[in-house]
Amino acid sequence: MTVAVDRPTDSALTAPAQPPAKASRQRPRTGRTGKNGAAYVFLTPWLIGAALLTVGPMIASLYLSFTDYDLFSAPEFIGIANYQRMVEDPRFWSAVGVTLNYVLVAAPLKLLAALAVALLLNKARRGQGFYRSAFYAPSLLGASVAVALVWRTLFANDGVVDTGLSTVGIDGGGWISNPKLSLYVLVILAIWQFGAPMVIFLAGLKQIPQDLYDASAVDGAGKLRTFWSVTIPMLSPVIFFNLVLEVINAFQAFTASYIISGGRGGPIDSTLFFTLYLYDRAFTAFDMGYASAMAWVLLVAIGIVTALIFRSSRAWVFYSGEEK
Amino acid sequence: MATIIERRRPRTPRPAQRAQTGRSRAASIVWHVFCLALLALLLYPVAWLLGSSFKPGTEILTNMNVLPDAFTFDNYATVFEGVGGLSFWTMLGNSMLISTLAVVGNVFSCTLAAYAFARLRFRMRRPFFAFMLVTIMLPMHVVLIPQFIIFQQLGMIGTFLPLVLPKFLATEAFFVFLIVQFIKGIPRELDEAATIDGAGPYRTFGYVILPLLTPALITTTIFSFIWSWDDFFSQLIYLNNPETYTLQLGLRLFVDQTSASSFGPMFAMSVLAILPVVIFFAVFQRYLVDGVATSGLKG
């Protein structure tokens, strides 16, 4: 620890005592070695991290995914057996189903809520800044164990939501213990955190030039027409950005499902997120080879979905600078 | 037409002018009512949490009112006495220590890397920068198990080091990117002036760039603190020694207890566990929200 802190700081502090005399005047071309050297000094922590904590572990985990490894005895190479096992593992497929379901429902609904509220706030009335901050607050709190515990209690059998719905004649019982509804407790928790994409949407809405709205008004376009023909196309790069971000995050959701299902993904695996099952394989069953294989499946899945969104973006994302 | 556009520029946003007329005063009231209703709905779970932490355990589950019927401090007293045989203050201290070190590590390592990427020329700049961007999107699960093995081999499981050490190696690439973007906004003339005065890259960094980085470093500090405070997954994996438990891990102990008597302390401790985040939010909300707006932080 102290080693990591002290060393690079020291060099950064002592270095000015002997300034690299060469790197004066002709900055762009000469003095290259001096700058090169300095650059690598600044980059040292990042380089160590990238090599030892990212590149190395990625290669290792790819290798481990082809082994049988329990952390205590040496890994044994078994080819693609882990991947074959996945195909026949029903819990793996429930985890895939639950996660895809969650991504497909939670990410779009969250973005829809974020866009709707951003449009509402964009009216530039007094108090806009206050509402913007206040609506953003759940995004900061939502990742905590505390809020997951609140959700768990709110949606429990005889809990507040159950009681509330009973009074209006809907008798659902506790959502947490109902395998048909339990995932939606997590979806609602995700939507509750719409504040972060909302703030990004608001920033995007402010970038749309007023001229376009004026021109559209001169042309006699109504509100709805202006929304579809001006706001949405001009905002599409921001929608795209938010969509990629939310989808990648949704694939990796963990804390809430762990807390709400007590770490088991129940009832009947209805909240068994991919990451939760991966955690279970790796750190309860110590099936490290299988868990590594799952991690690579997750990486490839996220890669494919992101690539699909990028591919589709050509059809619906509009960059105002570009000629069609 | 032209005058309208020019008018709009300095300060007064267009609809604010309209808001003065009578009809849109009504619209404004409707707008505020709607926003406040939404706000009440959004903040209800948090308000209910706070209120419930002062309710007796038997009342919590079914009472949907925010305010308690019977007000009590017992829940907090129970938490301060300890949870599951663990001292609350130890857990608070552990959480604080981990988050503080995470802030120091991120500010230190990400600033250095960002300066190199934003201002210095070196042969591998483009490929390294591209790689750094890719790692922002990389799911941590793909490096999780080998990292666990490394820390196990080093005998660090059950200590804070696996949570803190990576921050000193700029593994949270997001902050590198954030600071790179910020440095790019600083006029290059300042660097050039420093170069003419004979300053090398180290002095330019220390005397020109670093003092101007304050807003970016505040954003980095806030999000480093909050993300590491809430980083349940890593804490769950690495902190298997009860003495190193954080508030998040302490809260997890309540998950297996379903008796009504545990609800009170559970909520009291929940309130205490989110309090630092709330304080950070209250103090720095402008930086937080603007940080999200300009850089797309996930929050």
Side-chain angles (χ1 to χ4, degrees):
Chain A
M1 251 294 301
T2 33
V3 180
V5 189
D6 286 343
R7 199 171 32 75
T9 328
D10 270 354
S11 59
L13 285 177
T14 50
Q18 1 123 13
K22 263 204 281 174
S24 54
R25 283 293 148 98
Q26 307 114 308
R27 189 180 44 80
R29 287 286 154 86
T30 50
R32 201 172 186 177
T33 43
K35 280 224 160 175
N36 247 331
Y40 288 117
V41 171
F42 281 105
L43 272 185
T44 304
W46 179 82
L47 278 172
I48 297 173
L52 296 185
L53 294 174
T54 308
V55 178
M58 273 184 82
I59 297 167
S61 105
L62 185 62
Y63 170 73
L64 284 177
S65 77
F66 297 110
T67 66
D68 183 15
Y69 182 45
D70 65 359
L71 207 59
F72 305 108
S73 46
E76 183 192 338
F77 190 82
I78 52 168
I80 58 165
N82 284 325
Y83 294 93
Q84 285 171 327
R85 236 172 82 206
M86 263 176 221
V87 180
E88 285 148 27
D89 178 357
R91 288 199 87 196
F92 172 83
W93 290 109
S94 347
V96 169
V98 167
T99 306
L100 286 181
N101 205 342
Y102 177 77
V103 170
L104 287 174
V105 178
L109 286 181
K110 184 177 177 183
L111 288 184
L112 220 55
L115 181 58
V117 179
L119 289 167
L120 179 75
L121 285 192
N122 196 37
K123 295 270 183 255
R125 291 206 162 83
R126 226 179 304 152
Q128 186 206 34
F130 164 75
Y131 291 122
R132 189 176 73 141
S133 292
F135 292 163
Y136 173 70
S139 286
L140 272 188
L141 299 175
S144 62
V145 172
V147 167
L149 286 170
V150 171
W151 244 250
R152 187 180 143 98
T153 319
L154 279 176
F155 287 92
N157 200 9
D158 290 330
V160 166
V161 172
D162 186 22
T163 320
L165 289 177
S166 304
T167 53
V168 293
I170 306 168
D171 206 7
W175 289 32
I176 298 289
S177 48
N178 183 340
K180 285 204 180 91
L181 295 174
S182 53
L183 185 61
Y184 295 97
V185 175
L186 294 160
V187 169
I188 292 170
L189 178 56
I191 298 171
W192 185 64
Q193 301 170 58
F194 69 81
M198 176 205 72
V199 169
I200 301 171
F201 276 136
L202 260 178
L205 286 170
K206 291 216 160 54
Q207 297 293 318
I208 302 177
Q210 181 62 27
D211 317 27
L212 293 177
Y213 288 111
D214 294 342
S216 145
V218 168
D219 289 347
K223 272 195 177 155
L224 204 63
R225 185 63 208 266
T226 307
F227 176 72
W228 284 114
S229 305
V230 176
T231 311
I232 288 292
M234 292 304 287
L235 201 61
S236 60
V238 183
I239 299 176
F240 170 72
F241 174 82
N242 268 336
L243 183 65
V244 171
L245 212 64
E246 291 304 330
V247 164
I248 292 178
N249 284 341
F251 265 107
Q252 300 175 58
F254 176 81
T255 304
S257 70
Y258 181 96
I259 294 298
I260 287 176
S261 72
R264 287 174 288 272
I268 339 178
D269 289 350
S270 60
T271 58
L272 185 70
F273 279 49
F274 198 90
T275 53
L276 189 54
Y277 189 45
L278 194 158
Y279 167 81
D280 174 73
R281 289 298 91 196
F283 297 100
T284 338
F286 292 105
D287 200 347
M288 294 286 178
Y290 192 67
S292 298
M294 282 187 69
W296 275 86
V297 169
L298 179 66
L299 178 69
V300 171
I302 291 178
I304 290 174
V305 171
T306 312
L308 284 177
I309 300 175
F310 266 85
R311 186 59 73 81
S312 80
S313 73
R314 285 178 209 164
W316 62 272
V317 176
F318 171 75
Y319 292 100
S320 51
E322 112 197 345
E323 302 279 320
K324 280 247 164 169
Chain B
M1 184 66 191
T3 44
I4 296 173
I5 294 168
E6 274 162 23
R7 271 279 184 82
R8 190 177 47 81
R9 285 270 136 139
R11 291 254 117 186
T12 351
R14 153 197 51 107
Q17 300 170 325
R18 235 200 285 142
Q20 266 129 45
T21 67
R23 211 187 73 194
S24 54
R25 176 158 302 158
S28 176
I29 290 170
V30 171
W31 183 82
H32 276 288
V33 168
F34 199 86
C35 285
L36 286 172
L38 187 61
L39 187 62
L41 182 71
L42 278 180
L43 295 189
Y44 172 74
V46 181
W48 185 75
L49 162 66
L50 183 63
S52 295
S53 69
F54 294 104
K55 293 172 189 169
T58 45
E59 193 191 308
I60 289 175
L61 183 65
T62 47
N63 186 354
M64 45 166 82
N65 294 331
V66 167
L67 294 177
D69 293 342
F71 191 91
T72 171
F73 277 114
D74 289 356
N75 300 326
Y76 286 93
T78 314
V79 169
F80 292 142
E81 275 164 25
V83 173
L86 302 168
S87 153
F88 168 80
W89 300 107
T90 307
M91 290 189 275
L92 177 68
N94 290 342
S95 280
M96 282 288 178
L97 183 65
I98 292 172
S99 294
T100 308
L101 288 174
V103 168
V104 174
N106 273 339
V107 166
F108 161 76
S109 64
C110 297
T111 310
L112 291 185
Y115 176 65
F117 281 128
R119 282 295 206 254
L120 302 179
R121 278 156 212 282
F122 53 99
R123 202 161 297 148
M124 296 297 280
R125 199 178 75 138
R126 278 171 170 276
F128 279 177
F129 190 68
F131 175 76
M132 191 272 294
L133 289 182
V134 168
T135 58
I136 295 177
M137 292 301 184
L138 199 70
M140 49 88 80
H141 307 88
V142 85
V143 291
L144 171 74
I145 289 164
Q147 280 188 5
F148 185 85
I149 296 167
I150 292 172
F151 290 122
Q152 194 203 31
Q153 295 295 320
L154 294 172
M156 293 179 180
I157 306 295
T159 73
F160 301 139
L161 290 173
L163 302 172
V164 168
L165 211 51
K167 316 284 187 204
F168 283 88
L169 300 174
T171 48
E172 285 199 70
F174 188 84
F175 296 116
V176 179
F177 177 66
L178 178 94
I179 302 171
V180 165
Q181 293 303 98
F182 193 87
I183 295 179
K184 281 184 175 166
I186 298 174
R188 252 184 202 278
E189 285 75 18
L190 294 177
D191 297 41
E192 280 157 12
T195 309
I196 290 167
D197 289 348
Y202 302 106
R203 274 207 211 183
T204 310
F205 173 72
Y207 291 105
V208 179
I209 301 293
L210 200 55
L212 294 173
L213 277 183
T214 315
L217 296 187
I218 291 177
T219 309
T220 304
T221 299
I222 300 164
F223 280 100
S224 295
F225 188 92
I226 293 175
W227 288 353
S228 112
W229 186 265
D230 281 338
D231 185 8
F232 177 67
F233 190 76
S234 305
Q235 296 173 1
L236 185 65
I237 288 167
Y238 288 118
L239 301 182
N240 55 10
N241 175 358
E243 277 169 25
T244 61
Y245 272 16
T246 57
L247 286 178
Q248 312 293 334
L249 293 181
L251 280 174
R252 183 196 52 147
L253 300 176
F254 288 107
V255 168
D256 294 324
Q257 301 174 6
T258 43
S259 69
S261 63
S262 71
F263 281 133
M266 174 174 97
F267 277 8
M269 189 164 161
S270 294
V271 169
L272 295 168
I274 61 172
L275 202 58
V277 178
V278 173
I279 292 173
F280 255 92
F281 178 72
V283 176
F284 291 110
Q285 43 117 337
R286 193 170 57 85
Y287 281 100
L288 279 164
V289 178
D290 288 345
V292 176
T294 50
S295 62
L297 281 158
K298 59 185 186 233

